[in-house]
Amino acid sequence: MDTRVAVIGIIVESADSIEDLNQLLHEYGAYIIGRMGIPYRERKINIISIAIDAPQDTISALAGKIGRLAGVSAKTAYSNV
């Protein structure tokens, strides 16, 4: 199956959802190329970027599940490769 490279930008505003988010990322760990997390303490949020190489449906499913977590938002940018 063809895969695509994408970046999922995640902003976590609710600490209550961090455990669920980490479980989702672990579940899709085979597709994740890298992850960078930045705690922005002054605003009490966390900013996370995920680089992923996976089938389009898998990327969309992960981003959708992340976006449905309470206090979490996600946007995806796809490469043309």
Side-chain angles (χ1 to χ4, degrees):
M1 180 177 270
D2 289 337
T3 63
R4 296 198 59 192
V5 176
V7 175
I8 303 174
I10 305 165
I11 296 180
V12 182
E13 297 175 347
S14 172
D16 295 338
S17 295
I18 292 174
E19 187 175 330
D20 292 334
L21 174 60
N22 283 327
Q23 179 60 39
L24 276 175
L25 296 178
H26 177 74
E27 200 175 305
Y28 286 83
Y31 300 106
I32 294 174
I33 301 165
R35 169 183 174 171
M36 178 180 64
I38 303 167
Y40 191 1
R41 290 179 185 89
E42 294 167 5
R43 296 274 185 138
K44 297 181 182 169
I45 62 172
N46 293 293
I47 304 161
I48 302 168
S49 63
I50 304 295
I52 187 167
D53 186 353
Q56 173 94 33
D57 293 347
T58 302
I59 297 169
S60 296
L62 174 57
K65 289 176 183 179
I66 291 170
R68 284 192 291 277
L69 295 173
V72 179
S73 57
K75 295 291 180 184
T76 307
Y78 292 92
S79 74
N80 292 322
V81 178

